[in-house]
């Protein structure tokens, strides 16, 4: 009997410690005193629940909100220091790097390291060690993040702006800053592998020879059926896997377990007429526009025609406005790869009234790679087929197409349920390997391109599962306001973080309200929004209000 009581007491004690160990993320503002970026004094109106009245304030509010969300989800007794600043990142008129981030340092074989001889990301290493390992005395940051301060200028994705709202209601043409901050901090927390993306070589970071890391040890070659850390794995083989879409997958069990909760059933691009060419066709997905699906990709494919001119030498490249708008209106439009970017072609197809784009490759090869590029103004779906299939289509126009749905297999995972990582045929050193693939549907937070459908304020899909696979402990308990239990899960399997949202809002309501009445009103508004969105039950809404009132007492 005594033994039993002791066990209960221990369990209670550990439950308390559990809640206390939510991670604290601390902002190191790299723009302080510059009048730019996070320090920009330009007056602005509050937007989308963000109460800030200067650009700098709004950016900082979003940043702190994102830090509170991740801090609620992950467990660590060591504060995570996140450096942030705005600067010009790589930009053209039609494309831009929105942000970049990563661990500021890595460590191995520290006390508490789960596996010997491999590297761990800064914040994760601190968390596992239970102390601040801090190997760079004059640079305290664990994570370094940068955001594009020139976005929207004529030479930097002209016509777009950052959206600083916290409500996920991103206007057309804008880019949701909260999603991008969540994504970039997400890299720093461990969504990042350190091997050379072109050569497949592990890095030699301390002169003791090449070593893998806790992310890379979950990467898997599903053709040879070996992990990246397998003795049989070679740099040349890993390099080939990293540029073969569909062959690079995540073998970690948590992501595999949760994939079925998150991903849609796999869909097949299918020709239904003419009968002679009916059947399934391989396709590559687009990083821009909505994901091609049964709902938006059923109809007839016709040829797009434009002028052969200096912008594009053939009448099939869609590099200039289409000249057969009457024929393509309401149809899916077949165009050739080449000369101009895919988003340029898509914009021309869209402007002519096409409802989707099929790009035929201009070099032989299978499977067809994905369509890269970014333009938030593209609203039509697009996909890519092989050169051979493109020629088959052209010889049989018009071709009727649709998507068929598999009852078991998942969109963005291989046939055994391992989720795909990003492996474009041309290596993009900042994107290859350290993202989920663009084939995932719905789009994931940690895909390489901004996707407006992501709602990171309460859904971070397969990221927490991946963090668990690399060694993080996550908070699976209830959200608390002070010590009061709101009964809302901080994190649910499948990545809903409604409880984390409650905790982040509690912090924001407290810091932005000028008196207790305003704080209470801010929390009342929160629980009404969460109930209207059906993210919480009525009783949970009541618990949030009780906790709000309890939290007012000294
Ligand atoms: Zn990224």
């Amino acid at each position: 009997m005594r033994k039993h009581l002791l066990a209960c007491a221990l369990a209670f004690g550990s439950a308390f410690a559990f809640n206390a160990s939510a991670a604290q993320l601390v902002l190191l503002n790299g723009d302080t005193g510059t009048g730019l970026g996070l320090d920009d004094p330009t007056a602005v109106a509050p937007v989308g629940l963000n109460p800030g009245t200067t650009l700098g304030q709004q950016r900082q509010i979003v940043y702190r909100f994102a830090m509170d969300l991740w801090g609620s989800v992950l467990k660590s007794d060591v504060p995570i220091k996140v450096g942030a600043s705005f600067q010009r990142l790589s930009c053209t008129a039609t494309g831009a790097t929105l942000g970049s981030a990563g661990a500021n340092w890595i460590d191995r074989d520290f006390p508490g390291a789960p596996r010997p001889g491999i590297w761990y990301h800064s914040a994760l290493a601190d968390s596992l060690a239970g102390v601040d390992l801090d190997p760079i005395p004059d640079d305290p940051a664990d994570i370094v993040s940068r955001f594009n301060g020139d976005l929207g200028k004529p030479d930097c994705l002209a016509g777009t702006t950052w959206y600083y709202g916290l409500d996920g209601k991103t206007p057309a043409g804008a880019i949701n800053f909260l999603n991008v901050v969540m994504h970039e901090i997400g890299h720093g927390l461990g969504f990042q592998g350190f091997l050379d993306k072109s050569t497949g070589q592990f890095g030699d970071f301390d002169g003791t020879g090449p070593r893998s890391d806790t992310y890379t040890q979950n990467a898997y070659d599903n053709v040879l059926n070996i992990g990246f850390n397998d003795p049989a794995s070679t740099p040349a083989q890993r390099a080939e896997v990293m540029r073969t879409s569909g062959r690079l997958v995540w073998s970690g069990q948590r992501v595999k377990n949760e994939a079925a909760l998150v991903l849609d059933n796999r869909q097949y691009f299918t020709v239904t007429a003419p009968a002679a060419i009916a059947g399934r066709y391989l396709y590559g997905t687009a990083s821009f526009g909505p994901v091609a699906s049964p709902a938006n990709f059923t109809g007839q494919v016709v040829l797009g025609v434009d002028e052969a001119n200096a912008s594009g030498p053939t009448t099939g490249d869609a590099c200039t406005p289409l000249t057969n708008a009457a024929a393509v209106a309401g149809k899916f439009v077949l165009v050739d790869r080449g000369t101009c970017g895919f988003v340029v072609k898509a914009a021309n197809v869209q402007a002519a009234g096409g409802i989707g784009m099929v790009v035929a490759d201009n070099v032989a090869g299978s499977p067809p790679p994905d369509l890269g590029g970014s333009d938030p103004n593209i609203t039509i779906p697009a996909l890519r087929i092989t050169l051979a299939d493109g020629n088959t289509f052209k010889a049989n126009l018009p071709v009727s197409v649709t998507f068929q749905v598999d009852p078991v297999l998942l969109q963005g995972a291989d046939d055994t349920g391992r989720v795909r990582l990003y492996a474009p045929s041309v290596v993009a050193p900042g994107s290859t390997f350290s993202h989920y693939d663009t084939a995932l549907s719905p789009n994931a937070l940690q895909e390489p391109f901004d996707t407006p459908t992501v709602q990171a304020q309460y859904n971070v899909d397969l990221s927490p599962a991946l963090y668990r696979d690399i060694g993080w402990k996550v908070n699976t308990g209830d959200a608390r306001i002070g010590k009061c239990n709101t009964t809302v899960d901080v994190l649910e399997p499948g990545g809903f973080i409604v409880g984390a949202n409650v905790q982040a809002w509690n912090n924001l309501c407290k810091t932005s309200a000028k008196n207790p009445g305003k704080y209470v009103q801010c929390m009342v508004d929160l629980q009404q929004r969460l109930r209207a969105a059906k993210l919480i039950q009525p009783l949970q809404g009541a618990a949030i209000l009780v906790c709000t009132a309890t939290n007012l007492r000294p």
Side-chain angles (χ1 to χ4, degrees):
M1 196 51 108
R2 192 164 282 221
K3 218 171 176 181
H4 180 72
L5 279 173
L6 182 62
C8 279
L10 275 175
F12 187 66
S14 71
F16 243 94
F18 177 89
N19 185 57
S21 64
Q24 186 200 358
L25 276 72
V26 181
L27 175 63
L28 306 178
N29 180 353
D31 294 335
T32 301
T34 64
L36 300 168
L38 295 159
D39 196 42
D40 191 325
T42 308
V44 290
V47 59
L49 305 175
N50 185 329
T53 54
T54 69
L55 261 183
Q57 274 176 8
Q58 289 194 350
R59 288 165 173 165
Q60 287 199 38
I61 285 169
V62 173
Y63 211 93
R64 290 179 203 281
F65 192 81
M67 293 197 303
D68 284 346
L69 290 175
W70 279 133
S72 295
V73 169
L74 299 172
K75 296 206 317 188
S76 181
D77 293 328
V78 185
I80 300 167
K81 289 158 284 183
V82 188
S85 62
F86 272 67
Q87 18 189 290
R88 184 180 176 89
L89 303 176
S90 85
C91 260
T92 66
T94 57
T97 298
L98 301 173
S100 74
N104 196 28
W105 49 270
I106 51 179
D107 205 351
R108 66 175 176 87
D109 298 302
F110 47 86
R115 297 200 182 186
I118 63 168
W119 294 105
Y120 286 82
H121 310 72
S122 51
L124 174 56
D126 278 353
S127 155
L128 290 164
V131 294
D132 194 346
L133 297 166
D134 199 16
I136 322 176
D138 54 345
D139 180 3
D142 299 311
I143 293 171
V144 177
S145 65
R146 301 174 197 85
F147 300 88
N148 201 322
D150 280 359
L151 191 72
K153 292 186 177 170
D155 62 345
C156 189
L157 209 54
T160 60
T161 53
W162 286 115
Y163 177 64
Y164 298 112
L166 301 170
D167 57 359
K169 294 177 181 164
T170 315
I175 290 166
N176 188 299
F177 187 55
L178 178 65
N179 284 352
V180 175
V181 175
M182 288 294 284
H183 174 106
E184 297 303 341
I185 296 177
H187 282 306
L189 292 168
F191 211 116
Q192 180 187 24
F194 298 111
L195 82 173
D196 188 302
K197 312 304 183 292
S198 297
T199 65
Q201 289 278 5
F202 295 142
D204 178 3
F205 298 106
D206 61 357
T208 62
R211 296 172 183 278
S212 185
D213 59 80
T214 186
Y215 179 95
T216 301
Q217 70 171 346
N218 287 281
Y220 192 82
D221 173 352
N222 67 4
V223 171
L224 294 185
N225 281 312
I226 50 173
F228 272 34
N229 282 16
D230 191 290
S233 178
T234 66
Q237 166 254 342
R238 292 191 289 266
E240 189 185 339
V241 172
M242 285 191 285
R243 48 174 195 263
T244 310
S245 190
R247 183 173 169 182
L248 174 65
V249 292
W250 186 263
S251 64
Q253 196 59 41
R254 294 285 182 183
V255 171
K256 201 173 170 183
N257 288 351
E258 294 191 25
L261 297 174
V262 175
L263 298 179
D264 295 333
N265 285 69
R266 177 127 25 114
Q267 51 193 35
Y268 298 97
F269 182 48
T270 308
V271 170
T272 54
I277 65 162
R280 290 175 177 173
Y281 287 78
L282 295 174
Y283 69 101
T285 55
S287 58
F288 51 87
V291 176
S293 72
N296 65 21
F297 225 100
T298 300
Q300 275 192 340
V301 178
V302 299
L303 201 63
V305 178
D306 72 334
E307 277 183 22
N309 53 27
S311 301
T314 73
T315 58
D317 55 36
C319 291
T320 45
L322 300 192
T323 54
N324 64 336
V328 305
K331 310 276 188 187
F332 297 92
V333 183
L334 181 63
V335 305
D336 290 324
R337 177 189 174 206
T339 308
C340 59
F342 298 121
V343 289
V344 175
K345 298 174 194 285
N348 287 326
V349 167
Q350 183 173 309
I355 57 171
M357 177 172 76
V358 178
V359 176
D361 213 335
N362 60 355
V363 292
S366 185
D370 294 334
L371 298 171
S374 176
D375 181 349
N377 296 305
I378 302 293
T379 57
I380 59 171
L383 54 79
R384 175 167 171 172
I385 57 177
T386 65
L387 174 64
D389 290 344
N391 289 335
T392 302
F393 273 45
K394 285 176 191 171
N396 288 279
L397 292 172
V399 171
S400 296
V401 296
T402 190
F403 273 89
Q404 290 175 339
V405 179
D406 188 283
V408 177
L409 301 178
L410 300 174
Q411 180 63 32
D414 68 12
D415 289 356
T416 66
R418 290 177 294 237
V419 176
R420 287 163 60 164
L421 298 177
Y422 187 55
S425 56
V426 177
V427 171
S431 301
T432 291
F433 189 67
S434 298
H435 290 94
Y436 285 126
D437 194 73
T438 54
L440 274 67
S441 176
N443 288 131
L445 170 64
Q446 222 65 23
E447 289 186 22
F449 301 95
D450 172 64
T451 45
T453 51
V454 168
Q455 298 282 318
Q457 73 276 17
Y458 57 72
N459 183 358
V460 290
D461 52 79
L462 288 168
S463 288
L466 184 138
Y467 293 138
R468 295 178 85 171
D469 279 336
I470 66 171
W472 277 102
K473 292 191 170 52
V474 301
N475 283 319
T476 51
D478 294 329
R480 286 170 193 259
I481 294 175
K483 285 179 179 164
C484 178
N485 188 336
T486 67
T487 73
V488 182
D489 287 340
V490 169
L491 164 70
E492 290 173 45
F496 272 89
I497 53 166
V498 182
N501 185 282
V502 170
Q503 292 185 170
W505 266 108
N506 181 57
N507 288 346
L508 178 55
C509 288
K510 250 191 221 162
T511 50
S512 61
K514 294 186 175 60
N515 57 53
K518 290 240 166 75
Y519 163 66
V520 170
Q521 188 58 51
C522 184
M523 294 300 286
V524 168
D525 293 346
L526 166 69
Q527 72 92 27
Q528 280 175 349
R529 286 196 304 274
L530 294 178
R531 281 192 57 186
K534 302 218 178 329
L535 292 166
I536 57 170
Q537 303 292 325
L539 279 175
Q540 293 175 311
I544 289 172
L545 297 183
V546 168
C547 287
T548 300
T550 309
N551 200 33
L552 283 176
R553 291 188 210 125

